[in-house]
Amino acid sequence: MEFDVSELVEAKRQIDSTLHKLRETVKTLKAKENPNRYKSQITLAKRRIEAFEISVSLIEREINDLDKKS
């Protein structure tokens, strides 16, 4: 599938927003009285953060490649 730069920039913006929320969620869960109780939710959020960070990296690479072509 082909995307233009504006679509990629918007996708990155949305992912960055979600990343921010996930990072705040991890902080909140770790700050709870008994963080071990939330271990699975923390692990899931951390895995999602990693996946979204990979996505952002790939989107940025694609944006750079498109910029070089134009």
Side-chain angles (χ1 to χ4, degrees):
M1 244 178 126
E2 293 291 322
F3 302 100
D4 64 33
V5 173
S6 63
E7 291 173 313
L8 293 169
V9 168
E10 179 60 21
K12 182 184 176 304
R13 190 178 76 76
Q14 294 298 324
I15 292 171
D16 286 339
S17 172
T18 302
L19 271 169
H20 174 74
K21 292 173 187 172
L22 282 168
R23 288 181 180 122
E24 292 301 313
T25 298
V26 170
K27 285 182 194 175
T28 300
L29 291 173
K30 284 183 173 182
K32 295 268 186 188
E33 187 174 315
N34 185 7
N36 285 334
R37 180 176 177 192
Y38 304 98
K39 188 175 178 182
S40 62
Q41 289 93 331
I42 293 169
T43 300
L44 178 62
K46 286 181 176 181
R47 288 179 180 165
R48 287 179 175 165
I49 289 168
E50 289 176 22
F52 281 126
E53 286 173 342
I54 291 169
S55 299
V56 166
S57 177
L58 294 172
I59 289 170
E60 288 172 344
R61 185 187 311 166
E62 186 68 18
I63 290 169
N64 289 335
D65 288 348
L66 288 173
D67 285 342
K68 288 176 187 175
K69 290 178 184 177
S70 58

